[in-house]
Amino acid sequence: MGRNDSPASSDAMADFTKRLVAVDGVTKTVYTAGAGPAVVLMPEMPGISPDVARFARWIRDAGLTVYVPSLFGTDGAYPESEAGAQVMRRACVSAEFRVLAGAGTSPIATWLRGLARQALAECGGSGVGAIGLCFTGNFALTMAVDPAVVAPVVNHPSLPLDDPGGLEIGDEDAEAIRRRVSDDGLRVLGYRFDGDKWCTAQRFAAYRALLGDAFEGHVLPDASANTDPPPFFRELVVTPHSVVTAHFVDEEGHPTTKARDEILAFLCERLKPATEKA
């Protein structure tokens, strides 16, 4: 099953507003589009690919404002395998990311929480959505330590790389998340393919252990994955992995399309006023 309605090999993202956003003295490029409540969509490794930009447009078209921070890689590009591997190696040694078990929450989470607060101030509403993909998958959960984030979605979270049953979160943040579940009714969506070696069944079990019934984990069959992903995913990731981006199949009724629609419905339900949902 190959690519359907595939994006171009590169994406200028000309329909996004490119901004510099400063949080606590650290400035990063952020692409924004749309109107309505805010959603922070974090890129997957190795960057904001045309597939990630396509997902951002779906969020925009659902009546939401999407914020896509540039955290690594070349914005709008499909890197070849070696270029993507170099991006990953740089991220793995960056002080912003903690990729190994026992290292706790990545420092980038603090910057992302600040971005969520700015997005809430700019867009209004009851809160902000957060979507993590692959390398950034669990960041959506650690962002939810901040009350501004009310709709976290963890897509095929791959950290920590050396522990298939681990979560990239410090003890203090884990306890804060438990309080938000009990006090605020926080819910978390999660998606993975059944045979994904980067996001395993053990990892989803760890989410369930932390969140209980507040975690809604969805597992798609490997056979539903796009069989012609970009080179980085085909040659280095290898297994079915990226449910709503690189391994997405744009066909009505397809499991990955259903996952995309479930995510958009979750965001709208949690973020839009009742009058807009009616």
Side-chain angles (χ1 to χ4, degrees), residues 43-45 99 131-142 153-169 188-193 196-207 211 215 217-218 240-243:
E44 66 187 348
M45 188 60 62
V99 303
I131 302 176
L133 304 167
C134 177
F135 197 84
T136 65
N138 194 66
F139 297 170
L141 181 67
T142 51
V153 183
V154 294
N155 280 288
H156 47 279
S158 61
L159 299 186
L161 293 176
D162 62 340
D163 182 3
L167 297 181
E168 189 269 353
I169 189 168
V188 180
L189 290 191
Y191 290 85
R192 59 177 292 271
F193 284 107
D196 188 352
K197 70 177 183 180
W198 303 97
C199 180
T200 63
Q202 297 101 302
R203 182 151 294 145
F204 266 31
Y207 278 106
L211 301 166
F215 179 62
H218 298 264
H241 181 60
S242 299
V243 174

Side-chain angles (χ1 to χ4, degrees), residues 145-237:
V145 167
D146 195 297
V149 177
V150 298
V153 183
V154 294
N155 280 288
H156 47 279
S158 61
L159 299 186
L161 293 176
D162 62 340
D163 182 3
L167 297 181
E168 189 269 353
I169 189 168
D171 292 341
E172 185 176 339
D173 284 348
E175 185 54 38
I177 292 295
R178 289 190 187 97
R179 288 196 299 271
R180 289 218 57 206
V181 169
S182 61
D183 297 347
D184 302 337
L186 183 74
R187 290 170 50 209
V188 180
L189 290 191
Y191 290 85
R192 59 177 292 271
F193 284 107
D194 186 43
D196 188 352
K197 70 177 183 180
W198 303 97
C199 180
T200 63
Q202 297 101 302
R203 182 151 294 145
F204 266 31
Y207 278 106
R208 175 69 67 176
L210 175 65
L211 301 166
D213 291 341
F215 179 62
E216 186 179 324
H218 298 264
V219 181
L220 280 66
D222 290 347
S224 64
N226 164 29
T227 57
D228 185 26
F232 176 84
F233 295 89
R234 186 171 59 250
E235 298 167 14
L236 296 181
V237 175

Side-chain angles (χ1 to χ4, degrees), residues 10-75:
S10 63
D11 189 329
M13 300 179 69
D15 51 334
F16 292 79
T17 299
K18 184 178 180 180
R19 303 168 48 186
L20 292 177
V21 176
V23 175
D24 296 333
V26 177
T27 300
K28 294 185 181 294
T29 297
V30 178
Y31 297 85
T32 62
V39 176
V40 177
L41 171 65
M42 291 160 278
E44 66 187 348
M45 188 60 62
I48 305 175
S49 69
D51 287 325
V52 173
R54 176 179 61 179
F55 189 37
R57 293 183 179 100
W58 288 329
I59 296 169
R60 173 200 65 191
D61 294 346
L64 301 164
T65 304
V66 65
Y67 289 67
V68 189
S70 178
L71 303 180
F72 38 70
T74 301
D75 301 339

